[in-house]
Amino acid sequence: MFLKNAWYCAGWDKDLSLGQDGLLARKIADQSILLYRKPNGEAVAMEDRCRHRSAPLSLGRKEGDSIRCMYHGLLFGPDGQCTQIPGMSRIPPGANVPVFPVVERDNWIWVWMGEPALADPDLICYAIGPSDPDWILRTNHLRIGASFRQEIANLADLSHLSWVHDMTLGGSEDWSFTRPTHELTPRGIETRYSVRRSPPPAFVKHLFPPDALFDIEAHVRLTVPCNFILRFAVHEAGDAKTGPTNGALLLDTFTSQAVTPRDAESVDYYFSWGTSRETYMPGIVDLMYEANETAFLEDKRMLEGQRERQRDYAGAPQIDIVHDAGPVKMLWVLDKLLAEEAAGAQAIREVA
């Protein structure tokens, strides 16, 4: 169900404190993970389960670089090796805890859930974090009771802005009549939208005259497992009939969104949004943050409702429409990688 050989977002770097109580429990792709920082600030990720009686290590305590299980006192180093069992001089076989490669990049914490030898940092998706000096971004986190495949389908099709977000990020039917271009990449798709002479999104309509029109250019990079990176630029309405708009740039925005599956029925959603310093104006990022919070709750309500009906009508036929092109391509890439991973695992088992 879940791609193992992939980097999964475990949250923002600010979520992981260096404090004594800085033990962060996450569930990623059906596995319970503990994250903590060593005294030098380096992040560690290990299975959140003591090998004695499965007590959560996230209920333990830090001791130097190590974690002490507070059920019976077993001590585990950052490499997962058990180094002490109070009352015993010998460490029995199988006492070690699995650890996972960790990389911090763009203010996100990334955990590799597959074979450690294959953990290539170059496979981490492109993004812009809030520490980038050229951007002013705000971050947030939301939990949604939906599958990450639903999230892929939702993010790979922005026509839903016209309907799900008609009172926030939408505001017109133009997104439903825009035909994006999709390009396959080795681990996802790139999609470009050009919306011409459109009213402003609903959340900023009060800032403009009723007849104001704009050109919008949107470039989406969507990669496995479900990372959505969007540059969204607003221009004055131009007169170019084809190709990019020739209207002057008014607002250059960027959002980095990582959807991490917890299990088959829920995801953690880590996201940011803001503007370039070049196009920043006082109050705009706060306004965008407020709109984004509301819009993502709109997504949450729709996706959780969709999931409920999928359970109610399990196996019921569904039709396809023109706006499914992006979701179909992205899910094809995911399923291709899943099949390749399964074939590789089977070949290893046969050799063994």
Side-chain angles (χ1 to χ4, degrees), residues 33-349:
I33 306 295
L34 163 69
L35 294 112
Y36 70 95
R37 292 194 187 278
K38 298 191 294 186
N40 66 1
E42 181 182 343
V44 176
M46 64 173 57
E47 187 173 280
D48 190 11
R49 183 178 77 88
C50 178
R51 280 300 186 262
H52 171 226
R53 290 293 183 266
S54 297
L57 292 175
S58 55
L59 297 179
R61 73 182 181 204
K62 294 183 186 179
E63 294 187 10
D65 284 355
S66 300
I67 292 294
R68 176 81 69 179
C69 176
M70 294 304 287
Y71 191 17
H72 291 93
L74 279 70
L75 187 67
F76 298 92
D79 59 357
Q81 296 298 314
C82 182
T83 58
Q84 183 188 32
I85 301 178
M88 292 182 65
S89 60
R90 174 180 169 272
I91 307 296
N96 60 300
V97 175
V99 296
F100 304 87
V102 181
V103 171
E104 295 188 60
R105 183 175 296 176
D106 305 313
N107 298 109
W108 269 331
I109 302 170
W110 296 96
V111 179
W112 180 267
M113 301 300 295
E115 174 58 45
L118 301 178
D120 181 359
D122 287 342
L123 295 179
I124 295 174
C125 71
Y126 168 79
I128 291 177
S131 64
D132 190 300
D134 295 329
W135 295 85
I136 301 173
L137 307 170
R138 291 187 63 181
T139 67
N140 209 334
H141 166 230
L142 183 68
R143 184 163 294 168
I144 300 176
S147 76
F148 83 111
R149 294 180 74 94
Q150 282 180 267
E151 284 286 2
I152 287 174
N154 187 58
L155 292 171
D157 161 35
L158 295 188
S159 71
H160 76 277
L161 265 64
S162 292
W163 314 106
V164 178
H165 306 303
D166 63 326
M167 299 301 294
T168 52
L169 305 181
S172 78
E173 298 182 6
D174 292 346
W175 287 94
S176 284
F177 292 94
T178 298
R179 294 294 175 265
T181 61
H182 304 287
E183 179 184 350
L184 288 174
T185 66
R187 296 176 74 84
I189 61 173
E190 289 199 28
T191 302
R192 295 181 184 272
Y193 297 82
S194 294
V195 183
R196 294 289 175 264
R197 305 190 66 77
S198 177
F203 78 97
V204 292
K205 278 189 175 179
H206 64 286
L207 301 176
F208 302 100
D211 59 349
L213 297 175
F214 302 92
D215 289 348
I216 297 171
E217 301 282 357
H219 178 199
V220 177
R221 296 177 175 94
L222 189 56
T223 56
V224 295
C226 184
N227 305 313
F228 176 88
I229 310 300
L230 167 66
R231 191 162 190 171
F232 185 97
V234 181
H235 299 254
E236 291 180 350
D239 55 13
K241 302 301 182 184
T242 60
T245 177
N246 59 2
L249 177 66
L250 299 175
L251 190 64
D252 195 7
T253 84
F254 201 97
T255 174
S256 298
Q257 304 176 18
V259 182
T260 299
R262 290 171 43 80
D263 49 37
E265 298 292 334
S266 65
V267 301
D268 282 317
Y269 205 145
Y270 307 100
F271 56 94
S272 66
W273 197 23
T275 74
S276 66
R277 287 195 179 275
E278 182 182 357
T279 61
Y280 172 79
M281 64 188 76
I284 187 63
V285 174
D286 293 326
L287 176 60
M288 293 166 63
Y289 179 85
E290 294 161 3
N292 222 17
E293 274 198 314
T294 303
F296 279 30
L297 290 174
E298 292 167 345
D299 276 324
K300 175 180 168 70
R301 182 173 63 247
M302 183 61 71
L303 291 170
E304 290 180 346
Q306 176 192 20
R307 192 63 172 165
E308 183 177 348
R309 289 298 175 268
Q310 288 175 340
R311 288 192 291 265
D312 292 343
Y313 297 90
Q318 300 180 116
I319 65 168
D320 294 325
I321 62 174
V322 66
H323 301 301
D324 296 324
V328 167
K329 290 179 185 296
M330 184 61 200
L331 289 169
W332 179 86
V333 172
L334 173 63
D335 289 335
K336 177 176 179 288
L337 292 170
L338 282 166
E340 290 172 354
E341 189 170 278
Q346 178 62 29
I348 292 172
R349 284 193 295 268

